[in-house]
Amino acid sequence: SSSSGPQGANFNGDGVVNSIDFSIMLSFWQTSPPFSNQYVDINGDGQVNSVDFSILLSQWGTSGENL
């Protein structure tokens, strides 16, 4: 995606956080950076883990933008 701002858990850039984004997160779960999808590490700590999953859940059904 070429989004210029934070897009939260909307990893594929389609405007909504849903099961597609969850599947993308699972494919990167507990892998090592660099991530081919830079957005999966939502909090930027170099890990895709339960913290990122919690953020995804909190943004479920929204645009995922960090308001």
Side-chain angles (χ1 to χ4, degrees):
S1 175
S2 61
S3 176
S4 59
Q7 60 180 41
N10 180 26
F11 307 136
N12 65 342
D14 68 353
V16 66
V17 177
N18 57 23
S19 59
I20 297 169
D21 303 293
F22 178 59
S23 295
I24 293 169
M25 174 174 277
L26 286 181
S27 71
F28 290 99
W29 190 257
Q30 295 188 336
T31 60
S32 298
F35 307 109
S36 59
N37 183 321
Q38 64 182 343
Y39 302 110
V40 294
D41 180 15
I42 303 171
N43 67 339
D45 67 353
Q47 302 176 69
V48 178
N49 57 21
S50 59
V51 177
D52 302 294
F53 179 62
S54 295
I55 297 169
L56 180 141
L57 288 180
S58 73
Q59 296 181 355
W60 194 269
T62 72
S63 65
E65 294 175 16
N66 298 327
L67 304 176

